[in-house]
Amino acid sequence: MKAREANFDGLVGPTHNYSGLSFGNVASEKNQANQSNPKQAAKQGLAKMKALADMGLVQGILAPQERPDVHTLRRLGFMGSDANVIEQAAKQAPKVLAACCSASSMWTANAATVSPSADTADGKVHFTPANLTNKFHRSIEHETTGRILQAIFADKKHFAHHPALPAVEHFGDEGAANHTRFCHQYDEQGVEFFVYGRHAFDSRYSAPKKYPARHTFEACKAVARLHQLNGDKVVIAQQNPDVIDQGVFHNDVIAVGNKNVLFCHEQAFLNQQDVYNELTAKVGGNFKVIEVPTSAVTIEDAVTSYLFNSQLLEMPNGETVLALPEECRNNERVWAHVQTIINAKQGIDKVQIFDLKQSMANGGGPACLRLRVVLNEQELQAVNQSTLMNDILFNRLNSWVDSHYRDTITDADLADPQLVVESRAALDELTQILDLGSVYAFQR
Ligand code: SUG
């Protein structure tokens, strides 16, 4: 049965702000305490979703999470009314409050790892929400993420949902940001490519020295087991620790793949040639690597432009489009190399530029904002149809953003108890629009 790749983008939540929460993510650290614009952020994301839907692709929406996360603040000992909880946290632990206000669930490449039914032994699509243990503000996402995924992919005949891996550093899991699926046709069994930053149980292996390696080898193995993948169709590779130390905090900051194409930097992986060889052997003969040399694009260029945090999209007419953030056009070397790649006709036919500045300033490009789910026709029918983008939903969500979102958020605004009231009102309406049931109820 024919299958297609659907992209589920995270809708930016009403508390989008810059709190410098992600050590190792250069943009997050650099933009700390800058004023954010949640309304613009949400609209930039919606415009990308609409553009992909207009290209004839399946585009879904993942709802934001409830922030400030009063439920977590209560777990940390803040008491009283919701307003009291916020006020106390603002006074005693402003950084903890900021973490509990982050709209970071927008980067749905980190929501989960997804294996299509063609790859799994039981023929179901498998989902494992990522525990995101390395960053406190992200470690509080997976429970709600799981509920949202189950509200969208509800049919047990087609979809299998696992809880997140044990939430400790040994099993640090960042989801699809470190996972790529290669195949010839989407409906055929593919090769699932997992990338990790370090080994948790074996100190003989190298690891970054300056910045954290968020994802472990052991997490990759566990997800491959849970998803019942065939070992002959799995490749597990280590990210180059030196580039993690230069700000490449996820593999999707230095590599992206689709079907039989891997587009990556020459310094992306440890033992890079071995990785190519294993992928070539397992994917099959026409596996193609479009490798970018340091002489053309430095690691710093890659980190600031997010050239590789792009979406490699197969159009209905068979062409491949590379969806890039505007920052790539603003970097002369990167932009020149993009032209070289297109002219070389190596497997990328066109580029499409998106303005995602609000998300980029926190280190989130086009690829961070989307979770890929390959679905056959029956599975696509079984998806909650209210979450699929179309003209009507696009207009409805834009008006929803207009009526609920602020134009600015600064550090000081996070202490405003009114923010939780506004955010809840917005999400209550959104659960109706997207038909999500009571995904936030357990937090109230
Ligand atoms: O986890 N930034 C996110 C960006 C995630 C990007 N995702 C992928 N590469 N797939 C992170 O570092 C910053 C929040 C702040 O500082 O306010 C943040 O969480």
Side-chain angles (χ1 to χ4, degrees):
M1 200 184 306
K2 228 172 116 33
R4 309 171 66 178
E5 176 186 277
N7 283 283
F8 280 79
D9 278 42
L11 180 52
V12 178
T15 60
H16 161 64
N17 73 93
Y18 302 118
S19 285
L21 300 171
S22 282
F23 176 61
N25 167 347
V26 181
S28 152
E29 288 183 71
K30 183 168 149 235
N31 293 304
Q32 167 159 18
N34 282 358
Q35 180 174 289
S36 66
N37 183 333
K39 192 177 278 180
Q40 197 179 44
K43 291 195 168 195
Q44 288 173 349
L46 283 168
K48 171 164 96 76
M49 296 186 223
K50 175 71 161 50
L52 267 62
D54 287 347
M55 289 172 180
L57 305 175
V58 183
Q59 179 66 55
I61 297 151
L62 291 179
Q65 307 214 349
E66 186 171 294
R67 298 288 181 271
D69 184 350
V70 176
H71 171 73
T72 295
L73 290 169
R74 288 188 189 282
R75 280 179 64 201
L76 297 173
F78 299 103
M79 285 176 251
S81 66
D82 292 341
N84 286 341
V85 166
I86 304 287
E87 276 157 16
Q88 293 307 309
K91 254 192 233 132
Q92 296 171 32
K95 211 64 199 178
V96 175
L97 174 64
C100 290
C101 287
S102 179
S104 53
S105 67
M106 71 171 86
W107 299 295
T108 54
N110 306 116
T113 305
V114 184
S115 296
S117 54
D119 300 352
T120 63
D122 64 359
K124 293 186 185 186
V125 185
H126 284 244
F127 298 84
T128 299
N131 59 25
L132 304 173
T133 51
N134 189 259
K135 300 282 177 268
F136 168 61
H137 69 292
R138 306 223 57 186
S139 70
I140 54 179
E141 292 174 25
H142 65 83
E143 170 124 28
T144 304
T145 300
R147 286 170 197 256
I148 291 172
L149 289 172
Q150 293 191 45
I152 299 177
F153 305 97
D155 189 339
K156 292 196 163 52
K157 196 166 83 200
H158 297 295
F159 306 119
H161 294 272
H162 306 279
L165 299 182
V168 288
E169 287 283 307
H170 297 77
F171 293 101
D173 176 13
E174 298 283 316
N178 293 327
H179 175 256
T180 310
R181 176 181 188 253
F182 296 103
C183 63
H184 299 290
Q185 297 300 330
Y186 288 121
D187 54 356
E188 291 171 5
Q189 185 175 24
V191 170
E192 299 206 13
F193 180 46
F194 294 79
V195 180
Y196 63 92
R198 69 183 180 95
H199 285 252
F201 287 97
D202 197 333
S203 56
R204 286 173 305 168
Y205 294 95
S206 55
K209 295 186 175 68
K210 182 175 170 200
Y211 288 145
R214 300 191 192 188
H215 201 125
T216 66
F217 168 76
E218 290 78 1
C220 299
K221 294 290 270 189
V223 172
R225 277 191 297 269
L226 284 165
H227 291 197
Q228 304 177 13
L229 303 179
N230 173 348
D232 296 341
K233 295 285 183 185
V234 170
V235 177
I236 302 182
Q238 183 166 354
Q239 216 187 323
N240 178 352
D242 293 343
V243 301
I244 296 181
D245 279 340
Q246 292 170 69
V248 182
F249 58 99
H250 287 135
N251 178 58
D252 70 4
V253 176
I254 198 142
V256 59
N258 181 47
K259 290 192 113 176
N260 63 330
V261 176
L262 168 63
F263 174 48
C264 67
H265 194 275
E266 72 172 343
Q267 294 186 60
F269 310 106
L270 206 61
N271 306 322
Q272 191 135 332
Q273 192 53 51
D274 294 347
V275 176
Y276 293 165
N277 292 346
E278 192 178 348
L279 283 169
T280 306
K282 290 185 171 173
V283 177
N286 69 347
F287 178 70
K288 270 193 258 180
V289 181
I290 305 176
E291 188 186 80
V292 177
T294 311
S295 57
V297 173
T298 62
I299 298 299
E300 195 188 341
D301 288 331
V303 170
T304 51
S305 72
Y306 265 34
L307 170 63
F308 301 98
N309 198 265
S310 44
Q311 291 178 257
L312 265 178
L313 300 163
E314 186 183 59
M315 296 295 110
N317 68 4
E319 279 187 338
T320 296
V321 170
L322 186 69
L324 293 170
E326 211 170 71
E327 284 71 3
C328 289
R329 198 166 44 191
N330 301 338
N331 178 318
E332 248 174 62
R333 266 188 309 274
V334 168
W335 193 236
H337 197 70
V338 168
Q339 309 315 313
T340 307
I341 291 167
I342 306 263
N343 294 337
K345 299 199 185 318
Q346 290 175 303
I348 299 175
D349 303 298
K350 282 187 182 151
V351 292
Q352 169 106 8
I353 303 283
F354 289 100
D355 174 4
L356 297 165
K357 278 194 223 48
Q358 287 289 321
S359 167
M360 285 287 287
N362 252 337
C368 299
L369 287 160
R370 64 96 165 91
L371 180 68
R372 294 191 275 191
V373 187
V374 169
L375 298 164
N376 66 31
E377 280 159 27
Q378 273 187 5
E379 291 157 355
L380 183 55
Q381 289 301 313
V383 168
N384 172 345
Q385 302 291 305
S386 305
T387 61
L388 298 180
M389 183 55 89
N390 55 37
D391 290 354
I392 296 169
L393 186 56
F394 178 70
N395 291 332
R396 201 157 171 210
L397 289 175
N398 272 291
S399 328
W400 171 82
V401 168
D402 280 328
S403 57
H404 292 287
Y405 281 49
R406 297 189 183 189
D407 288 304
T408 59
I409 289 194
T410 59
D411 263 5
D413 295 318
L414 302 180
D416 176 4
Q418 193 54 29
L419 203 53
V420 72
V421 177
E422 289 170 23
S423 169
R424 281 186 181 163
L427 293 190
D428 285 346
E429 195 182 326
L430 186 69
T431 46
Q432 305 287 321
I433 300 174
L434 300 180
D435 191 16
L436 294 177
S438 52
V439 287
Y440 307 110
F442 80 101
Q443 284 181 296
R444 297 198 182 164

